[in-house]
Amino acid sequence: MTHPFELFRDDLGVPHVRAGSEADLAYGQGYVTALDRGWQLEVDRWYGEGRLAARVGPAGLEWDRFAARVRLADTTRRVWDALAEPERAWLGAYADGVRAGLDAGGRDTPERAELARALGGADLPDDEPWRPWTPVGTFLVHHVLFSGFPHLLWREHVARTLGPTLGDAAVGWWGARDGAGGPSSGSNAWALHGSRTASGAPLLAGDPHRLLELPGVYQQVRLARPGHDVVGLAFPGVPGVLHFGQAVSSAGSAETVVAWGVTNAMAHHVELYAEGCDAAAAGARVVAQGSDTVPVRGGEPVVVRWAEAPRGPLVTDRHSLRWPVRVTADAGVAAWRALQHAATARDVAAAFAGWVDPVDRVLAADSTGEVLRLTAGLVPEVAPSGRVVPATGGTSPGWRRLPAPAVVTDVAVDANHRPARTEHDLGHAYAPHRAARVRALLADLPPGGETAEAQDRVLADTHDGGAAGLVARLGPGPSVGALGAAEAVGAVGTAGRAARLRAWAAAGARMDAGSADAALFARWRHALVRRVAADPALTALHEPHGLPEVFAPWLDVVARVGDALAVILGSGVVDDGRLAAEALADLDEVDVHDEPSGDHPGDHPGRPVEMWGDLHRLAPLHALGLVPGAAAPAVPAEHARPLGGSVDAVRCTAGVPGVTHAVLHGSVARWVWDLGDRRRSRWGVPFGTSGDPRSPHFADQHPAWAEARTTPIETDWARLRPEPLPTRRPSEDR
C-alpha cells in the first residue's frame, strides 16, 4: 500500500511528517505515533473507555469505577456529536492513521507479553479499533483530574475534622494569600521581548511539570504541509501540537514565525457540589442513573452504578461535578485545530479564545516582535470565597469573561503563582516560589543579550525556594567553624547538622545531585513533615474520609502536610521549634553521614557520603506498575543519572516530602523557541521519542534531561533521514 505522507527522522528519532494536506498530515501523525507509542496509545484508550480492568485485571477497577461515575466515555461522545465537520474530519484522519499504524506493527510491544505472563496467561480481549472520537477521550484522560476539584475534597475533610477546634484557619493552610501552602510544582514559562535578546527577536521558554510517566507524556514532532510547518510537543493520541509549538508560515515570498507555550492558571474551573448524604439513593436529587458492566481480565465482571444530579455526575456518593467539558459538550477541539493554522501571535490568541479545559496562561510571540500574554479556558463566575470547599447550593453560575491579551514589552513569567492583577486571579491555591526565582535569574542578563542556549541556566536552576524559611525554624546557632570537631562531625552531631543546614541555606540552598547538605536538608524535611503530621493537634486529619480510592493521592495526610508545612509551622498550632529540633535529632549516622559540606566519597576512604542524587532517584509511572508481579520497563543503567532539583526548584524533580524522596513528578519536557531563527530553537524530554524498550531512542535523551540540558531542533530536511514505511500489515508477511 502507498501512504499519503512522508516520514523523516533526525538523530534523536524525532518524527518529521510531511504531507500535502491537513487531513493527510493528521493521518501521518497518527500513523507514526502508533509506530512509536503503540502501547501508550492503547493504554490511554483503555483509560478513556473505562475498560482498563479488562486488560490489566483487578488493578484497573478503581479507575474504571471513576470513569463510569464521571461519565468519561459518554462525555467524549457528546463532544464528538457536537463537533463541526472540519474538526470531525481532522480527528477522523488522525484516528485512521493510528489504526493503520497499529496494524502495521504498533501493537508489537513487549508489554503485552509481560502482561499476559503476569496474569497467568489470561486472554487479552480483542482490541476494538480506534474511533474518530478516541483522541478526545485521550485528551480528557490527561485532564479530568488535572483541575482543582480533588483539592476541594481535601479542604472539606480539613474543615470537617479540624474545623471544630481550629475553625477556618486550618482550611486556610492550603491556599494562603502569599502562595505558601499551595501546590509547589506546576510549570514554568517565560517570554523575553526582542529588546532583551541577542538577536533582537523574542524568545519563549519553559517546562511543563506533570507526573513522570514512561513513555513520556509528550511527543516531540514536526508536522509540515504546504504553507505551514510546525514543530512542538504533542500528546500521543491527540492530533496537532497543542500546548507548546513553533510554526513557520509562508504565503508567496513572505514568511512568518510564531510560537506559543502554556502553564496551568491554577483556576477554579471545575465545580464540586455537596449534594448531601448518599445522594445517589435520594431520587429527588438524581436526574439520570444507570449502570455499566466492567469486564475484568481473569475475573468476573463488576457492575458499577452511576447517577447524575442536576449539576453533573456524582463522583462520590455525596458530591456532583460540574465539569465545563460535559456541561457544554465542548473540549476545545476547534481551538486545537485553529492552532495548527496560526501564523501570528494574534492568531494564537484567537485560537485560544475557543480553549475550554484546562484553564491555561498562554505566552505567544511572532517574528514581527509582538509578544502577548493571555489566559485561556472556560471559567465559572465564582467569588474567591466559593473556591475553597464544595458548594452547598444556589444556582449554577455563568461563565466568566477573561481579560483581553496583554502586550509584553520586556519580560513575562508564568509559574503557577498568584497573579498580581485581580482579573487574572481565578483560583485559590498557587505555587509560592518559582516565579520570583525565574525573574531573578532573567534579571542577570548575559553579555550581549539572551540567547536560546542561555535559557538552560534557568531551566537547570536547583535553588529550593522554600528551604531557607524552613531552616530558620531551627533558630540561630553557631557556625560549623565555631563548633568542635566532635559536634561538627560525629556521633553527637545534631548541633553540627543544624550549623551545616544554616550555612547551606545562606549559600543558596541548592539541591544539587552531588550535595551532601542537600541530602541532609531533604532527610530533615522528610522527618519534620512526618512529625508535624503526627502531632496531636492534627490527629483528627487521620480520620477515615470515606471517599473513593481514586482520590487517595489528594487525601494523604502526610503528603498534604508536606504541601503546607511552612504555613502550619508558622500558624502557632504546633510547636515549630521543638518539632524542627526533634526531626533533626531523628537523623542518625545510618540515615545521614555527617560529613562537612563539599566532601565527596574519595575524601574520606571507607566512609561513604550520602549525596542528594543517592536519595533522589527517578520512579516514573508505567501502566504495568499497576499489575502485581509485572516487570515494567525502566531507564537502562547506561542512561540513568543522579538527579538534582526539588519540588520548589525551577528544575522541578519532585518527590513527596514526608512520603518518599523518589522523583515522581517534574519537568516532562523543556522547550525554547527562538523567533529570530527556528534553527536556534531547542528542546528536550525525559527518556526518548520511542515508547518501545527495544528501540535505541527509548531513553537516549535521558542523560541530557537529567542534567537539564536542551538540544537544538533539527529542521533542515536535507539533514534528516527518510524512513521507508511498511507497505503491508505484519500478518501479510507470514
CSV table of all heavy atoms in Angstrom, one decimal, residues 177-212:
chain,number,residue,atom,x,y,z
A,177,ARG,N,-2.7,33.5,51.2
A,177,ARG,CA,-2.7,34.6,50.2
A,177,ARG,C,-1.3,34.8,49.6
A,177,ARG,O,-1.1,35.2,48.5
A,177,ARG,CB,-3.1,35.9,50.9
A,177,ARG,CG,-4.6,36.0,51.2
A,177,ARG,CD,-5.4,35.9,49.9
A,177,ARG,NE,-5.1,36.8,48.9
A,177,ARG,CZ,-5.6,36.8,47.7
A,177,ARG,NH1,-6.5,35.9,47.3
A,177,ARG,NH2,-5.2,37.7,46.8
A,178,ASP,N,-0.2,34.5,50.4
A,178,ASP,CA,1.1,34.7,49.8
A,178,ASP,C,1.6,33.5,49.0
A,178,ASP,O,2.7,33.5,48.4
A,178,ASP,CB,2.1,34.9,50.9
A,178,ASP,CG,2.3,33.7,51.9
A,178,ASP,OD1,1.6,32.7,51.7
A,178,ASP,OD2,3.1,33.7,52.8
A,179,GLY,N,0.7,32.5,48.8
A,179,GLY,CA,1.0,31.4,47.9
A,179,GLY,C,1.5,30.2,48.7
A,179,GLY,O,1.4,29.1,48.2
A,180,ALA,N,2.1,30.4,49.9
A,180,ALA,CA,2.6,29.2,50.6
A,180,ALA,C,1.4,28.3,51.0
A,180,ALA,O,0.4,28.8,51.4
A,180,ALA,CB,3.3,29.7,51.9
A,181,GLY,N,1.7,27.1,50.9
A,181,GLY,CA,0.6,26.1,51.2
A,181,GLY,C,-0.1,25.6,50.0
A,181,GLY,O,-0.9,24.7,50.0
A,182,GLY,N,0.2,26.2,48.8
A,182,GLY,CA,-0.4,25.7,47.6
A,182,GLY,C,0.6,24.7,47.0
A,182,GLY,O,1.6,24.4,47.5
A,183,PRO,N,0.2,24.2,45.8
A,183,PRO,CA,1.0,23.2,45.1
A,183,PRO,C,2.3,23.8,44.7
A,183,PRO,O,2.3,24.9,44.1
A,183,PRO,CB,0.1,22.8,43.9
A,183,PRO,CG,-0.8,23.9,43.7
A,183,PRO,CD,-1.0,24.6,45.1
A,184,SER,N,3.4,23.2,45.0
A,184,SER,CA,4.7,23.7,44.7
A,184,SER,C,5.1,23.5,43.3
A,184,SER,O,5.7,24.4,42.6
A,184,SER,CB,5.8,23.1,45.7
A,184,SER,OG,5.5,23.5,47.0
A,185,SER,N,4.8,22.4,42.8
A,185,SER,CA,5.3,22.0,41.4
A,185,SER,C,4.2,22.2,40.4
A,185,SER,O,3.0,21.8,40.7
A,185,SER,CB,5.8,20.6,41.4
A,185,SER,OG,4.9,19.7,41.8
A,186,GLY,N,4.4,22.8,39.3
A,186,GLY,CA,3.4,23.0,38.3
A,186,GLY,C,4.1,23.1,36.9
A,186,GLY,O,4.4,22.1,36.3
A,187,SER,N,4.3,24.4,36.4
A,187,SER,CA,5.1,24.6,35.2
A,187,SER,C,5.7,25.9,35.2
A,187,SER,O,5.3,26.8,36.0
A,187,SER,CB,4.1,24.5,34.0
A,187,SER,OG,3.5,23.2,33.9
A,188,ASN,N,6.7,26.1,34.4
A,188,ASN,CA,7.4,27.4,34.2
A,188,ASN,C,7.2,27.8,32.8
A,188,ASN,O,7.3,27.0,31.9
A,188,ASN,CB,8.9,27.3,34.5
A,188,ASN,CG,9.1,26.7,35.9
A,188,ASN,OD1,8.6,27.2,36.9
A,188,ASN,ND2,10.0,25.7,36.0
A,189,ALA,N,7.1,29.1,32.5
A,189,ALA,CA,7.2,29.6,31.2
A,189,ALA,C,7.6,31.1,31.3
A,189,ALA,O,7.2,31.8,32.2
A,189,ALA,CB,5.9,29.5,30.4
A,190,TRP,N,8.4,31.6,30.3
A,190,TRP,CA,8.7,33.0,30.3
A,190,TRP,C,8.9,33.4,28.9
A,190,TRP,O,9.1,32.7,27.9
A,190,TRP,CB,9.9,33.3,31.1
A,190,TRP,CG,11.2,32.6,30.7
A,190,TRP,CD1,12.2,33.0,29.9
A,190,TRP,CD2,11.6,31.3,31.2
A,190,TRP,NE1,13.2,32.0,29.8
A,190,TRP,CE2,12.9,31.0,30.7
A,190,TRP,CE3,11.0,30.4,32.1
A,190,TRP,CZ2,13.6,29.8,30.9
A,190,TRP,CZ3,11.7,29.2,32.4
A,190,TRP,CH2,13.0,28.9,31.8
A,191,ALA,N,8.6,34.7,28.7
A,191,ALA,CA,8.8,35.4,27.4
A,191,ALA,C,9.7,36.6,27.5
A,191,ALA,O,9.6,37.3,28.5
A,191,ALA,CB,7.4,35.8,26.9
A,192,LEU,N,10.6,36.7,26.5
A,192,LEU,CA,11.6,37.8,26.5
A,192,LEU,C,11.3,38.6,25.3
A,192,LEU,O,11.4,38.1,24.1
A,192,LEU,CB,13.0,37.2,26.5
A,192,LEU,CG,13.4,36.4,27.7
A,192,LEU,CD1,14.6,35.6,27.5
A,192,LEU,CD2,13.6,37.3,28.9
A,193,HIS,N,11.0,39.9,25.4
A,193,HIS,CA,10.9,40.8,24.3
A,193,HIS,C,12.2,40.9,23.5
A,193,HIS,O,13.3,40.6,24.1
A,193,HIS,CB,10.4,42.1,24.8
A,193,HIS,CG,10.1,43.1,23.7
A,193,HIS,ND1,11.0,44.0,23.2
A,193,HIS,CD2,9.0,43.3,23.0
A,193,HIS,CE1,10.4,44.7,22.3
A,193,HIS,NE2,9.2,44.3,22.1
A,194,GLY,N,12.2,41.2,22.3
A,194,GLY,CA,13.4,41.3,21.5
A,194,GLY,C,14.4,42.3,22.0
A,194,GLY,O,15.6,42.2,21.7
A,195,SER,N,13.9,43.3,22.8
A,195,SER,CA,14.9,44.2,23.4
A,195,SER,C,15.8,43.6,24.4
A,195,SER,O,16.8,44.1,24.8
A,195,SER,CB,14.1,45.4,24.1
A,195,SER,OG,13.2,44.8,25.1
A,196,ARG,N,15.5,42.3,24.8
A,196,ARG,CA,16.3,41.6,25.8
A,196,ARG,C,17.2,40.5,25.2
A,196,ARG,O,18.0,39.9,25.9
A,196,ARG,CB,15.3,40.9,26.8
A,196,ARG,CG,14.4,41.8,27.5
A,196,ARG,CD,14.9,42.3,28.8
A,196,ARG,NE,15.3,41.2,29.7
A,196,ARG,CZ,15.9,41.4,30.9
A,196,ARG,NH1,16.0,42.6,31.4
A,196,ARG,NH2,16.2,40.4,31.6
A,197,THR,N,17.1,40.3,23.9
A,197,THR,CA,17.8,39.2,23.3
A,197,THR,C,18.9,39.6,22.4
A,197,THR,O,18.9,40.7,21.9
A,197,THR,CB,16.8,38.3,22.5
A,197,THR,OG1,16.3,39.1,21.3
A,197,THR,CG2,15.5,37.9,23.3
A,198,ALA,N,19.8,38.7,22.2
A,198,ALA,CA,21.0,39.0,21.3
A,198,ALA,C,20.5,39.2,19.9
A,198,ALA,O,21.2,40.0,19.1
A,198,ALA,CB,22.0,37.8,21.4
A,199,SER,N,19.5,38.5,19.4
A,199,SER,CA,19.1,38.6,18.0
A,199,SER,C,18.1,39.7,17.7
A,199,SER,O,17.9,40.1,16.6
A,199,SER,CB,18.4,37.3,17.6
A,199,SER,OG,17.1,37.1,18.3
A,200,GLY,N,17.5,40.3,18.8
A,200,GLY,CA,16.5,41.3,18.6
A,200,GLY,C,15.2,40.7,18.4
A,200,GLY,O,14.2,41.5,18.2
A,201,ALA,N,15.0,39.4,18.3
A,201,ALA,CA,13.7,38.8,18.2
A,201,ALA,C,13.3,38.2,19.5
A,201,ALA,O,14.2,37.8,20.4
A,201,ALA,CB,13.8,37.7,17.1
A,202,PRO,N,12.0,38.0,19.8
A,202,PRO,CA,11.6,37.4,21.0
A,202,PRO,C,12.1,36.0,21.2
A,202,PRO,O,12.4,35.2,20.3
A,202,PRO,CB,10.0,37.4,20.9
A,202,PRO,CG,9.7,38.4,19.9
A,202,PRO,CD,10.9,38.3,18.9
A,203,LEU,N,12.1,35.6,22.5
A,203,LEU,CA,12.4,34.2,22.9
A,203,LEU,C,11.2,33.8,23.9
A,203,LEU,O,10.8,34.6,24.7
A,203,LEU,CB,13.7,34.1,23.7
A,203,LEU,CG,15.0,34.0,22.9
A,203,LEU,CD1,16.2,34.1,23.9
A,203,LEU,CD2,15.1,32.7,22.1
A,204,LEU,N,10.8,32.5,23.7
A,204,LEU,CA,9.9,31.9,24.7
A,204,LEU,C,10.6,30.7,25.2
A,204,LEU,O,11.3,30.0,24.5
A,204,LEU,CB,8.6,31.5,24.1
A,204,LEU,CG,7.7,32.6,23.4
A,204,LEU,CD1,6.4,32.0,22.9
A,204,LEU,CD2,7.4,33.7,24.3
A,205,ALA,N,10.4,30.3,26.5
A,205,ALA,CA,11.0,29.1,27.0
A,205,ALA,C,10.1,28.6,28.2
A,205,ALA,O,9.3,29.4,28.8
A,205,ALA,CB,12.4,29.4,27.5
A,206,GLY,N,10.4,27.4,28.6
A,206,GLY,CA,9.7,26.9,29.8
A,206,GLY,C,9.8,25.4,29.9
A,206,GLY,O,10.4,24.7,29.1
A,207,ASP,N,9.0,24.9,30.9
A,207,ASP,CA,9.0,23.4,31.0
A,207,ASP,C,7.7,23.1,31.8
A,207,ASP,O,7.4,23.6,32.8
A,207,ASP,CB,10.2,22.8,31.7
A,207,ASP,CG,10.4,23.4,33.1
A,207,ASP,OD1,10.1,24.6,33.4
A,207,ASP,OD2,10.9,22.6,34.0
A,208,PRO,N,6.9,22.2,31.2
A,208,PRO,CA,5.7,21.7,31.9
A,208,PRO,C,6.0,20.7,33.0
A,208,PRO,O,6.9,19.8,32.8
A,208,PRO,CB,4.8,21.1,30.8
A,208,PRO,CG,5.8,20.6,29.8
A,208,PRO,CD,6.9,21.6,29.9
A,209,HIS,N,5.3,20.7,34.1
A,209,HIS,CA,5.5,19.8,35.2
A,209,HIS,C,4.3,18.9,35.4
A,209,HIS,O,3.2,19.4,35.6
A,209,HIS,CB,5.8,20.5,36.5
A,209,HIS,CG,7.0,21.4,36.5
A,209,HIS,ND1,7.2,22.4,37.4
A,209,HIS,CD2,8.0,21.6,35.6
A,209,HIS,CE1,8.3,23.1,37.1
A,209,HIS,NE2,8.8,22.6,36.0
A,210,ARG,N,4.5,17.6,35.2
A,210,ARG,CA,3.4,16.7,35.4
A,210,ARG,C,4.0,15.4,36.1
A,210,ARG,O,5.2,15.3,36.3
A,210,ARG,CB,2.8,16.3,34.1
A,210,ARG,CG,2.0,17.4,33.4
A,210,ARG,CD,1.5,16.9,32.0
A,210,ARG,NE,0.7,17.9,31.3
A,210,ARG,CZ,-0.6,17.7,31.2
A,210,ARG,NH1,-1.2,16.6,31.6
A,210,ARG,NH2,-1.4,18.6,30.5
A,211,LEU,N,3.1,14.4,36.3
A,211,LEU,CA,3.6,13.1,36.7
A,211,LEU,C,4.5,12.6,35.7
A,211,LEU,O,4.2,12.7,34.5
A,211,LEU,CB,2.4,12.2,37.0
A,211,LEU,CG,1.6,12.4,38.2
A,211,LEU,CD1,0.4,11.5,38.2
A,211,LEU,CD2,2.4,12.1,39.5
A,212,LEU,N,5.6,12.1,36.1
A,212,LEU,CA,6.6,11.5,35.1
A,212,LEU,C,6.1,10.1,34.8
A,212,LEU,O,6.0,9.2,35.6
A,212,LEU,CB,8.0,11.4,35.8
A,212,LEU,CG,8.7,12.8,35.8
A,212,LEU,CD1,9.7,12.9,36.8
A,212,LEU,CD2,9.3,13.1,34.4
